[in-house]
Amino acid sequence: MATQAHSLSYAGCNFLRQRLVLSTLSGRPVKIRKIRARDDNPGLRDFEASFIRLLDKITNGSRIEINQTGTTLYYQPGLLYGGSVEHDCSVLRGIGYYLESLLCLAPFMKHPLKIVLRGVTNDQVDPSVSIENKPWCGFCFVSCHNPTCEKKVPYKAQFYYKCILLLLFTLRFRG
């Protein structure tokens, strides 16, 4: 495992997605230890490993190290690159699990994110795909700078068209 003085260190699997997203946005490496270390099935779950693979696909230059048992993760984020990506999500969690984080990362990517996610579109734990765009419609702090958008965009929908149009409406959900 690589250890660096400026990396953040955490123990446990709580807030794993949020820690990785914030690490990616801040550019600071993170080391997470004791991931379900006392569990009968220790280490990362399949859906968490799938999320880490997704982060690797949308970034350029990320370094990810996982020990053999999966109980220690070192993540050094790369540049948020974006572009066209296809990803097969784990069937243990809904696409909303992945989409929540992508919505946080998409505005900061170098290139618009055009992504195809394959997996479960609705489950009991994660938000369904159909309601993912609703909380984002009210934000107006990002101006609409979308060359592919030919029609005039209402002020309240500016953020919606900048990020969600490039992300959600280019997603082709296959269940």
Side-chain angles (χ1 to χ4, degrees):
M1 275 301 139
T3 57
Q4 296 180 1
H6 68 283
S7 68
L8 301 170
S9 184
Y10 297 103
C13 62
N14 291 340
F15 308 109
L16 180 75
R17 270 187 312 163
Q18 291 84 349
R19 289 174 177 166
L20 294 175
V21 167
L22 292 173
S23 170
T24 304
L25 289 174
S26 67
R28 292 196 58 191
V30 65
K31 184 173 185 177
I32 304 172
R33 300 172 289 106
K34 299 180 183 176
I35 301 172
R36 296 184 190 89
R38 295 183 181 183
D39 198 9
D40 291 338
N41 187 13
L44 293 168
R45 299 287 184 252
D46 288 341
F47 60 90
E48 293 165 332
S50 178
F51 177 73
I52 293 168
R53 284 191 298 273
L54 177 61
L55 279 180
D56 191 38
K57 288 179 183 180
I58 63 172
T59 58
N60 187 10
S62 291
R63 193 169 93 199
I64 300 164
E65 297 176 15
I66 302 171
N67 69 351
Q68 280 194 325
T69 59
T71 57
T72 303
L73 163 69
Y74 177 79
Y75 173 70
Q76 182 174 359
L79 173 72
L80 276 168
Y81 193 74
S84 294
V85 177
E86 290 193 22
H87 184 71
D88 293 320
C89 301
S90 172
V91 295
L92 299 175
R93 296 298 289 262
I95 288 178
Y97 175 82
Y98 304 90
L99 201 54
E100 283 178 329
S101 299
L102 289 176
L103 289 171
C104 294
L105 296 171
F108 303 100
M109 296 199 180
K110 184 175 182 179
H111 299 286
L113 180 62
K114 296 177 183 174
I115 187 162
V116 176
L117 295 173
R118 291 185 200 91
V120 178
T121 57
N122 195 8
D123 68 356
Q124 298 295 338
V125 180
D126 303 303
S128 79
V129 174
S130 61
I131 65 164
E132 278 297 328
N133 63 349
K134 297 207 185 329
W136 296 89
C137 292
F139 290 99
C140 302
F141 59 89
V142 178
S143 62
C144 183
H145 180 65
N146 184 358
T148 62
C149 182
E150 295 177 359
K151 60 184 176 179
K152 198 72 171 158
V153 179
Y155 180 72
K156 285 199 167 210
Q158 286 181 356
F159 183 79
Y160 178 76
Y161 273 96
K162 176 174 169 74
C163 300
I164 309 302
L165 180 69
L166 297 174
L167 179 66
L168 265 182
F169 292 156
T170 55
L171 290 174
R172 287 174 240 130
F173 297 103
R174 299 174 190 155

